[in-house]
Amino acid sequence: MESGARPRRAAARALAEAVWFPAVLFLGILFFFAPALHAPEPHHVTVAVADGAGPARVEKALAGRYSGGFDVTRVPTARQARQAVLDRDAFAGYAVDGTRPVLYVAKANGASLEQTLTTAFGTVTGSAPLAVQDVAPTTDEDRLGSTVLYFAIAWNIPAYILATTLLRAVALDRRRKLLAIAVVAAVFGAVGYGVGAGLGYLPADPAVTGVAFLLTAAVATTASGLAPFARRFLPAIGMTLFIVMSIPTSGGAVPAPLLPEPYRALHAVMPLANAVDALRGILYFGGAGVLRPVLVLCAWIAGGTALLGLDFLRHRRAAAAADGDGDGGAATAAVAEPPVDDPALETPVPTALPVHRHHFGDPDPVLTGVVRDAGQDPVRGAAVVVLDGGGRQLVSTVTDAQGRYAVTGLPEGHVGVVASAPGRHPVARRRQVRPGETAEADFTLRGRAADPAKAGAEAPAAQAG
């Protein structure tokens, strides 16, 4: 009964390991994209109303149709109502020029917000025709005012991928990885700006490269800092944070004033959203409202750097403890930064297999073997551990009643295999794993009561094998 339950548990675990990551993304998209974007409507949209237009009457009319949709502020003149939009203190300005009502909007904040404002103030004016003036128009190639989002995404998602690929660069220490992030961020920013301005998608303003640099560096540095702590959960955390949560709350597809809570609150802190706000401020509002999002991006960079520093201190203390002298300086210099597993890029995961005749669709073993005792009888329950070239454990398993074991998913190259059992001397072997081939490593475990000279000769011979 137990022999049948073990394969079922192994299959259930393998299925759970394969499904949990897609399940996290599924739930994240379900609960972020749909609720945030399915029905945009105004939420506390700030509008500046000139005294001559009757702010109290406008506020009452808007509240009657959009409860909680607008926050009306009074300004003395139509000019100040218009300037409030340019200064990004309000999303719309409203005034009456003689008998003609005028609405000041900024398409740079998004065409959907402009349409919402026009519709809302159309109910305020009654029968009088509403004149709409766009005080911050976008380029002819950006008719919806959302192009900045697509360029920001081009700097956002590859930045996360950069952090995960740098995990494989074990020859680079933390300082060199940060330098690589800075160089790549600068290159991506310059190339992206050159494409956007060259094709007319973005107005020509080199300050765009600075925001692009900060966004790329913020995402890559934060993901790099999270990696040592999140480990195998990094892809789920990183993609949820920088894709699932970031894109719907960016204010690019649906402007932030049309997002419900808590998505508007997330807009204030997410790196992608702050980059979109900063880009709009630079390109269309003369730099207004840029300082805050730039500071938020810098805070993300500082947070990621702090996490890297915390990981450095953690390994420094571990090296000092291993060194045993309380100083750890020499040990710290000698201990390389340990690699971090990222299952999004390193598949398949090394796994122990039940030993049976494999059927179509089952994973093929890449390493098999038999563990026997000195009398060539199988050793049941012997522990078999597979190590990579750096001595890090990849997978462990135990032998069945016939002393057999099997594992799959090992990386190509040389691996170490150690077999041990209670009361017996452990034996180590070295094998090379090649794609499409099955390596074999058999072991003979001798009891500790055996002749010491013979047991001592067995270990080197086994290692050489």
Side-chain angles (χ1 to χ4, degrees), residues 151 155 188-199 202-209 212 283:
F151 280 85
W155 293 310
F188 281 9
V191 172
Y193 166 70
V195 171
L199 296 177
L202 301 175
D205 192 326
V208 167
T209 59
L283 296 173

Side-chain angles (χ1 to χ4, degrees), residues 171-422:
L172 301 180
D173 57 17
R174 296 173 184 84
R175 182 178 62 83
R176 289 187 175 90
K177 287 181 180 179
L178 286 173
L179 180 60
I181 289 173
V183 172
V184 172
V187 172
F188 281 9
V191 172
Y193 166 70
V195 171
L199 296 177
Y201 297 154
L202 301 175
D205 192 326
V208 167
T209 59
V211 176
F213 174 86
L214 291 176
L215 174 59
T216 304
V219 172
T221 305
T222 301
S224 297
L226 286 171
F229 303 96
R231 299 187 66 81
R232 65 189 297 264
F233 299 103
L234 176 64
I237 294 173
M239 293 187 71
T240 298
L241 193 62
F242 300 120
I243 298 176
V244 174
M245 294 174 61
S246 289
I247 294 178
T249 62
S250 65
V254 172
L258 304 183
L259 294 174
E261 293 292 353
Y263 305 101
R264 292 179 70 237
L266 286 172
H267 174 86
V269 298
M270 299 305 291
L272 179 62
N274 280 274
V276 169
D277 285 348
L279 289 170
R280 283 173 169 165
I282 289 171
L283 296 173
Y284 301 114
F285 295 96
V290 171
L291 178 60
R292 184 192 175 282
V294 164
L295 291 177
V296 172
L297 291 173
C298 290
W300 279 89
I301 296 174
T305 305
L307 287 173
L308 288 170
L310 183 62
D311 181 57
F312 169 77
L313 292 176
R314 184 177 63 163
H315 287 100
R316 179 178 173 181
R317 292 194 185 104
D323 196 41
D325 60 2
D327 174 48
T332 302
V335 176
E337 178 184 358
V340 179
D341 292 330
D342 181 358
L345 295 176
E346 190 174 282
T347 55
V349 176
T351 306
L353 294 176
V355 180
H356 60 79
R357 185 170 58 86
H358 293 277
H359 303 285
F360 177 78
D362 288 343
D364 293 326
V366 297
L367 177 66
T368 61
V370 180
V371 180
R372 300 182 177 89
D373 61 16
Q376 295 303 299
D377 293 323
V379 178
R380 178 176 183 173
V384 179
V385 179
V386 183
L387 310 173
D388 66 7
R392 183 180 59 169
Q393 178 175 317
L394 295 174
V395 65
S396 64
T397 187
V398 294
T399 57
D400 65 4
Q402 287 74 44
R404 299 176 301 174
Y405 70 91
V407 296
T408 190
L410 297 177
E412 181 181 357
H414 286 91
V415 296
V417 190
V418 181
S420 63

Side-chain angles (χ1 to χ4, degrees), residues 107-108 110-111 138 142-151 251-253 280:
K107 191 175 182 180
T138 57
D142 183 14
R143 298 179 182 179
L144 298 179
S146 57
T147 298
V148 291
L149 170 64
Y150 308 130
F151 280 85
R280 283 173 169 165

